[in-house]
Structures are given as C-alpha cells and as structure tokens.
Amino acid sequence: AQSVTQPDIHITVSEGASLELRCNYSYGATPYLFWYVQSPGQGLQLLLKYFSGDTLVQGIKGFEAEFKRSQSSFNLRKPSVHWSDAAEYFCAVDYSGGSNYKLTFGKGTLLTVNP
Amino acid sequence: NAGVMQNPRHLVRRRGQEARLRCSPMKGHSHVYWYRQLPEEGLKFMVYLQKENIIDESGMPKERFSAEFPKEGPSILRIQQVVRGDSAAYFCASSPPGQLSETQYFGPGTRLLVL
C-alpha cells in the first residue's frame, strides 16, 4: 500500500539550532512531494513542493527539502530554527501521477522549540 | 484574494444529530477536496469534487457521509446521525483548474466534537 512515513513523532530543538525532519515514501516511480506546516488551530500552509528537476527545493520561511530517489526520502531542513517555527509538520505525497489530488499524508512531526 | 474559507470553525453535536460543514474555495478555484484528520493522525483524503460533480469519493465512509459542490454556493460536507468517532478536524482544500503543477490550498478546518 502507498504510504508516507514520518519516523519522528516529536522533536525538540533549541532556538538557533539546525533542524531536519524526515519523510520516507513508498512508491516505485517518482511521486510529487510536499511539506505542509500546521500551527495550532490553523489550517495547513504549504512550505514547499517537488515535482521534478533540481532535487534540492527551496521553500518559504527559510526551509528547504532534498529529494533522494535512492532512499525514497524527502527530508525537510532549516539551518537555524526560530521560536515561531514551533508547529506540526506534515509530509504529503501525490501518488496519482500528477493529477494532484488524493494527497497521502504522514502522521506528522510535532516540533517544539526551546528558548 | 481571500483564502479558502470554512465554517463553522468549531461545531459541537450530540450523537444522532446532523453536522453540516461548509467550504468556500479560493476565487477562481473550481476543484474542492475534503480531508479528515483524526486525533494524532495525518489527514486522510475523503472526496474530490468539481462544480456539480463528484470526481472521487473513494475516501468517504459508505454510510452517513455525503458531499456536494453546487453550481452556486459553497461545498457542503454532510454527516448524518453523527457518532463519537466522527469527532475530528475536517479540512477543505481547493485548487484551480489545470494539471500537474497546481497545488491544493487548505482552509483552517472545522473541528467537530460529538458528545
């Protein structure tokens, strides 16, 4: 079955530290990949997406993600975390071959930022 | 340009009542998607609609749930005879007509609590 795995349920980092959130997907071909952020009580905001081309994609708020086909991974990174980054982060995959619906989401990683 | 709007933001129902959740897509968007987020879970696709058409309802429970997107007005997700297990956050997303690179924009969600 097609799935998205976010191995880390909860991560705590100190403000100013670097961050990497992991995401693995199961599929043979290259899917379309997304990272969303959800602040408490809010909807999801798109951070970045990968469809094709350069495997390192830049997003909003200083985030980037790297697609690694050999590892079926699409990890999210940020070099220096700010307190306002505390939120829940969801990796999502479009397995529909680019028609862009029926996104499959991971269970999310909750990020806590210590001062 | 207003984003995706959902109302109500919070809804409390007693078991056996009906819940109606409304979603107004972004201006110019003709595709609407509904997702459900159970506690400590990622979002799960429920249904994909275009104006007056249900395109894919493979994620909808077979009973009690229905969705529509009329020619005029918002999309409605209707849950009849709610049960406690229906308590969740229901998110609507919309996208413009097109293909491949279009992205779903999410609303703030409706948090349904069934007592």
Side-chain angles (χ1 to χ4, degrees), chain A:
Chain A
Q2 298 161 340
S3 64
V4 178
T5 301
Q6 292 181 248
D8 304 304
I9 296 173
H10 188 189
I11 285 182
T12 299
V13 299
S14 298
E15 191 169 16
S18 64
L19 172 69
E20 182 170 29
L21 302 181
R22 296 182 290 166
C23 174
N24 293 94
Y25 63 92
S26 63
Y27 195 60
T30 301
Y32 291 19
L33 302 159
F34 306 81
W35 275 99
Y36 286 87
V37 60
Q38 183 181 25
S39 298
Q42 302 296 314
L44 280 75
Q45 181 181 23
L46 179 68
L47 286 175
L48 46 79
K49 60 188 178 185
Y50 173 78
F51 289 170
S52 64
D54 192 345
T55 56
L56 184 64
V57 293
Q58 302 296 320
I60 62 172
K61 303 184 179 186
F63 285 92
E64 66 179 25
E66 185 173 13
F67 168 61
K68 292 186 177 179
R69 184 192 305 273
S70 61
Q71 299 177 18
S72 295
S73 69
F74 188 56
N75 294 347
L76 182 71
R77 300 195 295 247
K78 187 169 184 178
S80 178
V81 170
H82 188 263
W83 64 266
S84 62
D85 293 325
E88 190 153 24
Y89 292 80
F90 291 95
C91 180
V93 179
D94 172 13
Y95 285 113
S96 62
S99 56
N100 193 37
Y101 74 95
K102 198 183 283 189
L103 295 179
T104 299
F105 283 81
K107 291 186 177 183
T109 297
L110 180 64
L111 175 65
T112 298
V113 180
N114 287 334

Side-chain angles (χ1 to χ4, degrees), chain B residues 16-32:
Chain B
Q17 291 183 319
E18 177 180 285
R20 279 183 179 247
L21 287 62
R22 288 177 289 278
C23 169
S24 297
M26 288 180 68
K27 186 177 181 179
H29 288 195
S30 56
H31 300 194
V32 166

Side-chain angles (χ1 to χ4, degrees), chain B residues 1 5 15 20 23-24 30-31 33 44 49 60 63 71 75-76 80 82-83 85 88 96 104-106 110 115:
Chain B
N1 187 13
M5 300 176 68
R15 283 179 295 170
R20 279 183 179 247
C23 169
S24 297
S30 56
H31 300 194
Y33 317 82
K44 304 288 187 188
L49 308 106
M60 289 275 274
E63 297 177 348
K71 185 177 181 180
S75 175
I76 306 287
Q80 295 178 291
V82 296
V83 300
Q104 296 178 30
Y105 295 84
F106 284 80
T110 294
L115 300 177

